[in-house]
Amino acid sequence: AGCTAAAIVRPERVMVEPDELGNGLQATVADVIYLGQSLRYHLDTRQGKAVIASSTDRGARFAPGTPVRLTWRPDDVWVIPE
C-alpha cells in the first residue's frame, strides 16, 4: 500500500533556468523581488503549485510572465510523509 508525501526544496536550492533547456518542472515567473545581492522569484507551476526560488544577482534574470524550468539536485529534496 502506498502513502502520500510532500517534497520540500529550500528556495536557494531551486535553480531557475530558461524554458528552452527543456528539462525540469515547467513554471511561469509571477513576480521578482530584488533583495540587493539576490533575487527572489515567485513562480507558478503548470500543476497549480506556487514555488519560491532565490538566486544570486548574477547570470540570467527572468521577468514576470516568462516561462522557465525549475530544477534541483536529488539530494536537495526533503520527503515528508503525510
Side-chain angles (χ1 to χ4, degrees), residues 16-79:
V16 182
E17 301 176 341
D19 187 52
E20 299 82 41
L21 293 181
N23 295 320
L25 184 65
Q26 292 179 308
T28 302
V29 177
D31 194 17
V32 182
I33 301 169
Y34 179 69
L35 300 170
Q37 293 182 344
S38 66
L39 299 167
R40 180 176 297 149
Y41 289 101
H42 292 251
L43 307 131
D44 296 321
T45 68
R46 290 201 176 173
Q47 293 77 20
K49 302 292 183 182
V51 175
I52 296 175
S54 296
S55 70
T56 60
D57 186 24
R58 298 184 184 122
R61 289 188 181 183
F62 303 99
T66 304
V68 294
R69 298 286 178 140
L70 308 178
T71 62
W72 49 84
R73 295 184 341 206
D75 57 338
D76 288 333
V77 178
W78 291 61
V79 178

